[in-house]
Amino acid sequence: MKFLVCISNVPDTTTKIAFTPDNKEFNKAGVQFVINPWDEYALTRAIELKEAAGSGTVTVLNVGEADTEPNIRKALAIGADDAIRVNAAPKDAFFVAQQIAAIAKEGAYDVILMGKESIDYNGFQVHGMVGELLGIPTVAPAMKLDLSGNTATLEREIEGGKEVIRVNTPFVASCQQPMCEPRIPNMRGIMTARTKPLKVVPATTDTPRTQVAEYALPPKKQGVKLIPAESAGDLIKLLRNEAKVI
Amino acid sequence: MSVLVVVECDKGEVKKSSLEVATYGAQVAAQLGTTATAIAVGEAIEANLAKLGEQGISKVLYDNEPRLKDFVNNAYTKLIATAAQQEDSKVIVLANSNIGASVGSRLSVRLQAALATNVVELPKTDGGQFTVKRGAFSGKAFSDVVLSGERKIIAVKKNSIEAQHEAGKTAEVTTFSAQLADADFADAPSQVVMQDQAGGILLPEAERVVSGGRGMKGPENWGLIEDLAKALGAATACSKPVSDVDWRPHHEHVGQTGITVSPNLYIACGISGAIQHLAGVNSSKVIVVINKDPEAPFFKAADYGIVGDVFDVLPKLTAAVKELS
Ligand SMILES: Cc1cc2nc3c(=O)[nH]c(=O)nc-3n(C[C@H](O)[C@H](O)[C@H](O)COP(=O)(O)OP(=O)(O)OC[C@H]3O[C@@H](n4cnc5c(N)ncnc54)[C@H](O)[C@@H]3O)c2cc1C
Ligand SMILES: Cc1cc2nc3c(=O)[nH]c(=O)nc-3n(C[C@H](O)[C@H](O)[C@H](O)COP(=O)(O)OP(=O)(O)OC[C@H]3O[C@@H](n4cnc5c(N)ncnc54)[C@H](O)[C@@H]3O)c2cc1C
């Protein structure tokens, strides 16, 4: 089995979000970037499935500029075999999907795993686009993934429940908990990651379909109105008469 | 050229988020000087589809194919693409649900459309540009996104548009066939398992949510959360550590790495308000925090707060709600 795991490079979950003065770009100054948390499920599950089969390869793929390499190396340290970076600023989801689809086709990958969504742009769309570009099924978001020969059994979360889906390779799945316990790099992994192959390839030239015109922060809250615990019931009256939400 | 609205149905009922989507679609149609047509997916009943007139829908297309009752990504994509071609729709609106966004992303490739998910407001269509506002950075920001090209697909975030109800207006329901073949159902689910929802209210669709954190001390105390939720007609939720240790099921975990909710009322009980938790709930209209620690960061994001012990406060709140009705 050839696994392709797509990882996105995102601001750490504790980041206070700020923008450049013209509000046109995310302000990266002082921000720590991490592997998108959902993508860690994809990566760990791919490694687990490869280990269980006793054969196969796990390739990580990122569409990004050189500053994403520390996190690509981290994915190699966690246990991926090799990596590809498509050298381009990820202009929009469709652009990213086109790059991933091109790599997936060229490398004839059997299982293409992603995260449920990026925690920065919250698109929930690259996986569907890649599936459609390749003409193969996408299962999003998957909570469980097992492989038996060329057949995968997945559990997909839907609002209010889950579906069990069987698909044959090749397919795309986007992963979320409780699929596995994401692994963290160990010392040996960090050492071997340094020498694992990381190939940098140019982007295919394609025009994005969306463009961010401006960012904005949510309006500030007015401040909390405290109700003494002794008269907790008053809160309910405020929710009905003042906030009008019950 | 009509605006096409994808309406999700469940056990005959149109989902609340789809009533919002229908309203959104009808308003976009008005902006563009055209009408809104809906295409129904899931288990639908004609009488309920006709009522989509109340949201401003003129016509509803409905394919009777029984296998469309469950979500089948390929079949839904083909169905909607066929409807969009028939209606010559330049704008397609769906819910930003797992179903809506999954289908929307496939459709955007098939129809060569620009896609925006997580959209929170009606588009701005002046000056020849089509701009939508969407949530980004897990609820910590918004972005205005310009959609280019002839076709646009918009996935509308739940509870960001209020569904209109113009009583008495009905939509014309027309049967429609996308001529789906067996191959279109290759990724059909072999099994569908629905959860037991507390009081039958789905968390992602809920208007009110009562949520518990580690301050609840253990799963045996969740009756307090459930009682208040039941009295309020609310769904129940929890923080990540609570689902990590299996006090509550994973589908109740809200936050940056769980589900995002935007109810009218979110009541947090014994939750500290870590930034990753806030990311999943901070677009709630009104936030209430109950925490014994006055320094808990959640109070900064709250509208109302009680500094107190959940074991003392929750029963009082439940009693007060019961007194109201
Ligand atoms: C400098 C800069 C400018 C940008 N400008 C715009 C803009 O103008 N308009 C706009 O729409 N977006 C813009 N983006 C967002 C960027 O294009 C996103 O990375 C892209 O939209 C995918 O994010 P998503 O939330 O849609 O992905 P999702 O669909 O939420 O991601 C799902 C999964 O896809 C995979 N994935 C996502 N991105 C990548 C990646 N880069 N490499 C490998 N795998 C990936 C991951 O597995 C992820 O979990 C910009 C980003 C940067 C850094
Ligand atoms: C990458 C990453 C992703 C994460 N994603 C999420 C996420 O999606 N969702 C999420 O929730 N968390 C997430 N977290 C975890 C997050 O950082 C916090 O650890 C978590 O939200 C804390 O949960 P809690 O508030 O229930 O527990 P605690 O932080 O332990 O808070 C318990 C609170 O209860 C109060 N309390 C205790 N006893 C009582 C009482 N008797 N009465 C009233 N109050 C009481 C305490 O004062 C305290 O404020 C993530 C973390 C990381 C690193």
Side-chain angles (χ1 to χ4, degrees):
Chain A
M1 271 306 151
K2 288 182 74 180
F3 294 91
L4 182 66
V5 178
C6 306
I7 61 166
S8 176
N9 193 55
V10 299
D12 176 85
T13 56
T14 57
T15 307
K16 265 196 92 173
I17 301 300
F19 301 104
T20 51
D22 61 0
N23 282 327
K24 290 206 183 302
E25 269 174 64
F26 172 62
N27 189 350
K28 287 186 181 177
V31 172
Q32 168 88 26
F33 280 79
V34 296
I35 299 175
N36 186 37
W38 307 106
D39 305 357
E40 295 184 356
Y41 291 93
L43 177 61
T44 297
R45 191 63 190 141
I47 297 167
E48 286 175 358
L49 290 169
K50 181 195 112 168
E51 286 171 354
S55 66
T57 53
V58 176
T59 302
V60 287
L61 168 61
N62 170 259
V63 181
E65 296 177 291
D67 58 355
T68 68
E69 288 198 6
N71 281 324
I72 299 178
R73 287 281 171 211
K74 187 178 170 197
L76 292 170
I78 290 171
D81 299 297
D82 60 350
I84 303 171
R85 179 170 68 81
V86 176
N87 186 26
K91 289 180 219 124
D92 83 338
F94 181 62
F95 172 82
V96 170
Q98 282 177 310
Q99 312 310 318
I100 295 175
I103 300 280
K105 201 169 190 174
E106 196 187 291
Y109 291 93
D110 304 295
V111 178
I112 303 161
L113 297 184
M114 306 190 190
K116 172 187 166 182
E117 69 179 43
S118 77
I119 63 163
D120 50 1
Y121 295 94
N122 306 116
F124 192 92
Q125 54 189 334
V126 171
H127 27 76
M129 290 175 172
V130 170
E132 182 71 16
L133 284 166
L134 296 172
I136 60 178
T138 297
V139 180
M143 304 190 287
K144 211 172 159 192
L145 164 62
D146 289 306
L147 272 177
S148 158
N150 290 329
T151 305
T153 305
L154 299 111
E155 277 180 20
R156 167 168 61 200
E157 182 172 53
I158 50 170
E159 277 77 6
K162 62 184 179 193
E163 299 174 337
V164 181
I165 297 170
R166 278 194 196 92
V167 291
N168 290 333
T169 59
F171 66 90
V172 181
S174 77
C175 307
Q176 67 166 58
Q177 81 282 25
M179 182 172 282
C180 56
E181 192 54 54
R183 293 187 188 176
I184 50 172
N186 59 27
M187 214 41 196
R188 206 179 136 257
I190 294 168
M191 299 302 288
T192 54
R194 293 193 191 141
T195 53
K196 285 181 180 172
L198 192 171
K199 196 164 78 178
V200 179
V201 300
T204 58
T205 47
D206 283 299
T207 36
R209 290 174 180 162
T210 63
Q211 207 199 338
V212 176
E214 196 174 63
Y215 291 100
L217 294 172
K220 281 233 165 7
K221 286 268 178 192
Q222 299 219 316
V224 59
K225 191 180 240 184
L226 288 176
I227 294 102
E230 304 77 67
S231 44
D234 289 353
L235 169 69
I236 299 301
K237 289 187 199 119
L238 287 168
L239 292 178
R240 166 151 299 181
N241 302 323
E242 188 177 84
K244 301 194 183 356
V245 286
I246 59 175
Chain B
M1 201 256 8
S2 69
V3 169
L4 187 68
V5 173
V6 179
V7 166
E8 295 176 29
C9 302
D10 185 26
K11 296 188 198 73
E13 300 286 333
V14 177
K15 289 186 188 169
K16 176 181 167 269
S17 52
S18 286
L19 295 177
E20 294 163 9
V21 165
T23 302
Y24 187 102
Q27 290 180 1
V28 175
Q31 277 182 0
L32 302 176
T34 179
T35 56
T37 301
I39 171 98
V41 295
E43 193 177 353
I45 297 176
E46 278 199 25
N48 286 339
L49 295 180
K51 278 204 282 191
L52 284 165
E54 295 183 7
Q55 282 76 48
I57 299 291
S58 319
K59 185 166 84 177
V60 186
L61 307 176
Y62 179 47
D63 188 332
N64 244 328
E65 160 67 56
R67 286 177 293 181
L68 285 170
K69 188 166 83 63
D70 293 325
F71 172 38
V72 186
N73 208 340
N74 275 320
Y76 278 28
T77 306
K78 188 168 170 188
L79 176 80
I80 298 161
T82 311
Q85 262 137 13
Q86 177 188 302
E87 298 294 310
D88 190 25
S89 301
K90 301 289 188 281
V91 179
I92 303 176
V93 188
L94 353 82
N96 196 56
S97 59
N98 285 347
I99 295 176
S102 289
V103 174
S105 52
R106 287 199 93 93
L107 277 174
S108 73
V109 172
R110 200 168 297 188
L111 301 175
Q112 299 183 323
L115 168 68
T117 56
N118 216 16
V119 171
V120 296
E121 273 177 14
L122 284 169
K124 291 191 202 80
T125 51
D126 40 301
Q129 264 194 347
F130 196 102
T131 309
V132 288
K133 185 174 182 174
R134 63 182 298 273
F137 294 95
S138 303
K140 293 179 200 168
F142 294 99
S143 61
D144 282 341
V145 180
V146 181
L147 306 185
S148 49
E150 211 196 341
R151 291 203 184 90
K152 283 101 185 165
I153 302 179
I154 301 170
V156 182
K157 183 175 177 180
K158 286 168 191 164
N159 215 28
S160 44
I161 296 285
E162 201 173 331
Q164 301 291 311
H165 291 277
E166 218 179 302
K169 276 182 77 180
T170 55
E172 172 204 346
V173 183
T174 321
T175 48
F176 167 81
S177 173
Q179 246 110 62
L180 296 171
D182 284 351
D184 299 315
F185 292 91
D187 62 336
S190 57
Q191 200 190 346
V192 181
V193 189
M194 296 314 278
Q195 295 136 13
D196 283 337
Q197 299 298 326
I201 295 162
L202 283 181
L203 177 57
E205 299 262 322
E207 282 181 39
R208 292 177 279 273
V209 175
V210 183
S211 188
R214 259 203 308 230
M216 291 302 299
K217 302 282 190 285
E220 66 281 7
N221 298 322
W222 241 262
L224 292 173
I225 299 270
E226 281 162 352
D227 287 347
L228 179 59
K230 196 163 168 230
L232 285 170
T236 55
C238 68
S239 67
K240 181 171 186 285
V242 164
S243 70
D244 282 348
V245 295
D246 285 334
W247 290 0
R248 300 297 291 174
H250 269 287
H251 63 256
E252 284 199 359
H253 153 201
V254 294
Q256 186 141 22
T257 51
I259 65 166
T260 307
V261 293
S262 47
N264 294 337
L265 175 62
Y266 183 82
I267 304 184
C269 313
I271 304 176
S272 57
I275 190 162
Q276 298 96 346
H277 185 85
L278 294 180
V281 306
N282 60 7
S283 51
S284 308
K285 306 238 157 73
V286 173
I287 294 180
V288 174
V289 170
I290 305 160
N291 197 304
K292 68 174 183 192
D293 174 9
E295 301 296 321
F298 220 146
F299 284 116
K300 289 207 181 67
D303 300 285
Y304 297 95
I306 296 180
V307 179
D309 187 331
V310 282
F311 299 101
D312 162 51
V313 172
L314 279 173
K316 284 188 187 154
L317 295 182
T318 306
V321 176
K322 285 183 178 155
E323 265 170 43
L324 280 182
S325 38

